[in-house]
Amino acid sequence: MPVAPVVILLGPPGAGKGTQARMLEEDFGLVQLSTGDLLRAAVAAGTEAGVRAKAVMEAGQLVSDEIVLAILQERMAQPDLGRGIILDGFPRTAGQAAALDRLLAAAGQKVTAAISLEVEDEAMVARVAGRYTCATCGEGYHDQFKQPARAGTCDKCGGTAFKRRADDTAETVRERLTAYHAQTAPLIAYYDEKAVLQRINAMGHIA
Ligand code: ADP
Ligand code: ZN
């Protein structure tokens, strides 16, 4: 059962949803729920949902609402939801947004804020194609824009293992951008109508 506030992060791949979510976690004690992370964990664990999602994710398309909702509800049933949640990468379709409203209404709650990270598509391909993270603490890095101070060592935790997502190729990013504009961008108007939308210019450099 979710606890207020419920913050939604909207934005195309590379806009910095994960980075913003981590800052909100640190600043406000909220818990990040990333459907992308939950799906990647399901793929790695080889669950039924993971097996069904794998090829769709590799193609840069959207996993079915049914699978995503099941995986998110399972996570939201766990007790460690902090002082509220940040939904990173969810909802991504009108159907998911409606399902979220129903889920929250059943608990006497609603979306507190939807933050739209506004960026230019062209810049996103370069951002996503060069990015990688520390395998230990999850700190984000980039081949061009943000290398660790000491090569091969994480600034934050000293870890030396890094990882890249299988779907972070230029080709797949273009596919994900198309999916974003077709299916997710309409949610910006949906939350604007509910008067919970905040737009942020997210074109600045990675801090
Ligand atoms: P990004 O925003 O950089 O594309 P995510 O980690 O949020 O990265 O998502 C990675 C992939 O996981 C998506 O391309 C899609 O296949 C799948 N996915 C994540 N969240 C959802 C969602 N809410 N609905 C459908 N598919 C999703
Ligand atoms: Zn680290």
Side-chain angles (χ1 to χ4, degrees), residues 163-180:
K163 58 182 184 185
R164 283 174 201 266
R165 276 168 47 179
D167 62 346
D168 277 351
T169 62
E171 192 194 0
T172 312
V173 183
R174 293 212 168 84
E175 195 62 44
R176 282 149 64 200
L177 284 168
T178 304
Y180 176 79

Side-chain angles (χ1 to χ4, degrees), residues 6 15-16 41 70 83-84 91 109-110 115 125 133-134 152 172 175 189 191 203:
V6 178
R83 286 196 263 135
Q109 304 200 35
K110 54 188 180 182
I115 301 174
V125 178
T133 55
C134 170
T172 312
E175 195 62 44
Y191 290 113
M203 276 306 289

Side-chain angles (χ1 to χ4, degrees), residues 132-139 141 152-154 157-164:
Y132 60 98
T133 55
C134 170
T136 310
C137 76
E139 181 73 358
Y141 294 98
T153 307
C154 175
C157 77
T160 54
F162 297 87
K163 58 182 184 185
R164 283 174 201 266

Side-chain angles (χ1 to χ4, degrees), residues 14 21 24 31 42 75 86 89 96 100 107 113-114 133 138 151 153 187 202 207:
L24 290 168
V31 170
R75 176 65 186 88
I86 311 151
Q96 290 178 15
L100 176 65
T133 55
T153 307
L187 299 183

Side-chain angles (χ1 to χ4, degrees), residues 78-99:
Q78 288 165 22
D80 58 327
L81 295 179
R83 286 196 263 135
I85 56 176
I86 311 151
L87 294 171
D88 165 1
F90 179 94
R92 249 174 161 98
T93 64
Q96 290 178 15

